[in-house]
Amino acid sequence: MNRKLVRILLSAVLLTGAVVVEKTAGLATWQLLLVYLVPYLIAGYDVLGEAVEGIMEGDPFDEDLLMSIATIGALLIGFLPGAETEFPEAVFVMLFFQVGELFEDYAEGRSRESISHLMDIRPDIAHVERSGKLATVAPETVMVGETIVVKPGEKVPMDGVVTEGTSSLNTVALTGESVPRTVTVDGEVLSGCVNLSGLLKVRVSKTFGESTASKIIELVESAGEHKSRSETFITKFAHVYTPIVVVAALLVAFIPPLLSGDFLAGFPVWLNRALTFLVVSCPCALVISIPLTFFGGIGGASRHGILIKGSNYMDTLAKAGTVVFDKTGTLTHGVFKVNAIHPHECDEQRLLHLAAHVERFSTHPIALSLREAYPDEQDNCRVEHIEEVAGQGIRAEVNGDTVCVGNEKMMQAIGAEWRPCHHVGTIIHVAINGQYAGHIVISDQIREDAHEAISRLKAAGVEKTVMLTGDREAVGKHVAEELGVDEVYAELLPADKVSHLERLIAEKGEGKSLVFVGDGINDAPVLARADVGIAMGGLGSDAAIEAADVVLMDDHPSKVAQAIAISRHTIAIAMQNAWFAIGVKVLVLILATFGLASMWMAVFADVGVMVLAVLNALRALRQ
């Protein structure tokens, strides 16, 4: 970019000098051509080279060819009988074209800088414990299972689990959330977060190349490789448009003079009009500003923790008509917690206390949730003779009392008169010495913003929301009713989800797309099959993130509506640029054909419109 700016400034200075020479030196036409060729070639040698390269490769019809034909024609027109020289105009057209490209480079650089700043999360060093000493090494050399030390103020270099220490982490680069997250022992930390306070020891769970920071950077850097349908249309448009314009310019240059009866007298005038026609028709504004708009939209979305893998997905997101959600880990946290305690001839605390002690050695998620609800295991209680009854539960003696914790089958087996519960969830019944003591309700927790997610989607015009889950039908229906989801299908295997998705795709409205949001390995097939797959990036499985087209780094389902809004905003800017560029060009083309448009007006219709379109495209960064 700096080199191009130097070329532009040097060419402008030499152009000014050439104009002075033309006014004062009284040189012949061919001598003036040599004088003007110097600033012309300095400004446009690369454009001429691209045009020649396109011809050599069999793909000549682009804006470089248009600019080359128009400016070379302007340089030669002064040699025709009765024609005025257009040397300054030819150089200025090429110079202004390069100024427009400089604006494009600057705008694209701003987009890349925005993403680079957001993604400036790749750590340069890692402090790893080896042979009893702390060594500072490159993160690439740290192996899974090794322990790293993260000091206050440093970036977390690798994904892992905290083994020692408590601290607050700044996760804004990953999730867009400004509120720090507290981590303690056994808590998961992600690379790219900044350690704000305490010293942490972390057991590495992923290699540097597989860490969250590396994956995010890889996603963003590869986003530009994908072409949206809008971009593809513009590219195809340029390839069809350019030969039509070239042929039309040739017809403008030759047909009227031939019909006039005095070809030599009329040809210079119509050639000048044809050259002006060529300059005006150059599709720079479309070819440059629309891809730039999509790139800006991707950068703007990433600021909010929404990573869109390609601009083609942004184009499809804008047309979302059906949004399908997985339940566990997407609309719910995917973590079981004690939701209610219903004692019977026993107080709540004792009921929970006994159940947690009986389950203290189990690794089942239900047992973990009970122990989390009653964490005080060091209360001097004596737990003996623990026995697991397959398909029923666990029996143990707690301080001499026989306590049975399990399902209805266990209660029936010991003759305890258990009671049903109106709550939806997993019901854990407890009996003490054969007498029913009550039950505990354990269930997944609905995400705090799940209701907002559904509401915002409906407000955005999404026609249908659906939930597909492998959970029990009663649980699925309960969550769907709580959130206002239109349809729910439960107890599904991965293949069943794909079948339902195929049917929903067939039923979607014309011109509408289907979006699927999920997080688990079992969601990977449907994420890949949907028009747009959105994965939860924080807690989602690697398979889901790999299969998805969009990743939500903070696991907030409400970001789905935000992603759709950003996509629509970006598409709107792209359409504004397209209609503005085409409208101005058509107007000036009509004027040019009848000789009412000067070369300067042609320059504005080409490069001036491109500059304005590029500046408008920058708005996509500001969502």
Side-chain angles (χ1 to χ4, degrees), residues 47 78 260 296 300 324 357 383 506 514:
V47 176
S260 68
V324 184
H357 275 313
V383 183
L514 182 142

Side-chain angles (χ1 to χ4, degrees), residues 190-361:
L190 302 178
S191 58
C193 297
V194 178
N195 184 15
L196 297 178
S197 51
L199 185 141
L200 293 175
K201 288 189 177 183
V202 179
R203 185 177 63 254
V204 175
S205 59
K206 291 182 180 179
T207 61
F208 182 70
E210 295 297 317
S211 66
T212 300
S214 297
K215 286 291 186 182
I216 292 173
I217 294 170
E218 182 183 329
L219 287 177
V220 175
E221 287 180 344
S222 64
E225 298 175 4
H226 299 267
K227 291 285 185 182
S228 76
R229 277 179 288 210
S230 294
E231 287 185 66
T232 302
F233 165 77
I234 293 302
T235 304
K236 290 180 179 178
F237 168 81
H239 281 80
V240 174
Y241 172 79
T242 302
I244 291 174
V245 166
V246 171
V247 171
L250 290 173
L251 293 176
V252 170
F254 287 97
I255 298 302
L258 287 172
L259 295 178
S260 68
D262 189 353
F263 180 82
L264 292 179
F267 182 66
V269 175
W270 286 101
L271 178 60
N272 189 41
R273 293 178 182 179
L275 294 173
T276 304
F277 184 96
L278 279 173
V279 175
V280 174
S281 61
C282 185
C284 306
L286 293 174
V287 174
I288 292 172
S289 68
I290 289 182
L292 184 65
T293 301
F294 282 103
F295 194 88
I298 291 172
S302 64
R303 290 181 173 184
H304 297 279
I306 302 169
L307 301 182
I308 301 175
K309 292 185 181 181
S311 46
N312 48 334
Y313 306 122
M314 185 172 281
D315 191 34
T316 310
L317 260 178
K319 302 170 185 173
T322 303
V323 178
V324 184
F325 290 92
D326 171 51
K327 181 186 75 68
T328 306
T330 303
L331 292 176
T332 66
H333 285 285
V335 179
F336 286 104
K337 288 190 176 181
V338 172
N339 193 35
I341 302 173
H342 296 159
H344 176 67
E345 297 182 359
C346 175
D347 62 78
E348 287 189 7
Q349 189 67 12
R350 184 167 186 245
L351 188 69
L352 182 60
H353 158 235
L354 291 173
H357 275 313
V358 170
E359 298 274 6
R360 66 160 48 173
F361 296 113

Side-chain angles (χ1 to χ4, degrees), residues 239-551:
H239 281 80
V240 174
Y241 172 79
T242 302
I244 291 174
V245 166
V246 171
V247 171
L250 290 173
L251 293 176
V252 170
F254 287 97
I255 298 302
L258 287 172
L259 295 178
S260 68
D262 189 353
F263 180 82
L264 292 179
F267 182 66
V269 175
W270 286 101
L271 178 60
N272 189 41
R273 293 178 182 179
L275 294 173
T276 304
F277 184 96
L278 279 173
V279 175
V280 174
S281 61
C282 185
C284 306
L286 293 174
V287 174
I288 292 172
S289 68
I290 289 182
L292 184 65
T293 301
F294 282 103
F295 194 88
I298 291 172
S302 64
R303 290 181 173 184
H304 297 279
I306 302 169
L307 301 182
I308 301 175
K309 292 185 181 181
S311 46
N312 48 334
Y313 306 122
M314 185 172 281
D315 191 34
T316 310
L317 260 178
K319 302 170 185 173
T322 303
V323 178
V324 184
F325 290 92
D326 171 51
K327 181 186 75 68
T328 306
T330 303
L331 292 176
T332 66
H333 285 285
V335 179
F336 286 104
K337 288 190 176 181
V338 172
N339 193 35
I341 302 173
H342 296 159
H344 176 67
E345 297 182 359
C346 175
D347 62 78
E348 287 189 7
Q349 189 67 12
R350 184 167 186 245
L351 188 69
L352 182 60
H353 158 235
L354 291 173
H357 275 313
V358 170
E359 298 274 6
R360 66 160 48 173
F361 296 113
S362 173
T363 58
H364 192 279
I366 298 298
L368 295 176
S369 62
L370 287 170
R371 294 204 302 274
E372 184 179 298
Y374 186 83
D376 187 15
E377 292 189 21
Q378 307 301 322
D379 56 3
N380 298 319
C381 286
R382 190 176 69 258
V383 183
E384 302 173 304
H385 309 301
I386 300 172
E387 177 190 358
E388 184 168 349
V389 182
Q392 296 184 12
I394 297 178
R395 178 189 296 115
E397 287 188 11
V398 182
N399 295 334
D401 291 322
T402 300
V403 181
C404 294
V405 179
N407 56 22
E408 297 91 337
K409 292 181 180 178
M410 173 167 271
M411 296 299 105
Q412 291 169 354
I414 64 173
E417 296 183 5
W418 61 276
R419 296 185 178 184
C421 183
H422 65 281
H423 281 64
V424 176
T426 301
I427 312 300
I428 305 299
H429 298 278
V430 180
I432 304 172
N433 298 322
Q435 298 297 313
Y436 189 65
H439 55 255
I440 300 170
V441 183
I442 296 175
S443 60
D444 196 358
Q445 304 294 302
I446 294 175
R447 288 189 180 274
E448 292 76 8
D449 68 329
H451 189 274
E452 177 191 356
I454 304 301
S455 300
R456 288 179 61 181
L457 286 173
K458 292 183 176 179
V462 171
E463 298 166 357
K464 184 191 293 184
T465 55
V466 183
M467 187 173 75
L468 304 180
T469 177
D471 208 340
R472 292 180 295 118
E473 186 170 355
V475 176
K477 286 185 175 179
H478 171 71
V479 173
E481 290 173 2
E482 285 282 316
L483 301 179
V485 176
D486 298 323
E487 298 178 14
V488 57
Y489 302 94
E491 301 181 21
L492 303 178
L493 296 173
D496 300 325
K497 287 188 175 183
V498 173
S499 298
H500 279 286
L501 199 77
E502 293 282 3
R503 177 181 55 79
L504 292 168
I505 289 174
E507 293 175 355
K508 69 182 181 181
E510 186 176 350
K512 297 291 185 178
S513 60
L514 182 142
V515 177
F516 181 83
V517 190
D519 74 308
I521 293 176
N522 63 325
D523 294 325
V526 276
L527 283 166
R529 176 63 187 90
D531 296 326
V532 179
I534 301 180
M536 299 295 190
L539 296 176
S541 71
D542 291 343
I545 294 171
E546 194 70 29
D549 309 311
V550 180
V551 180

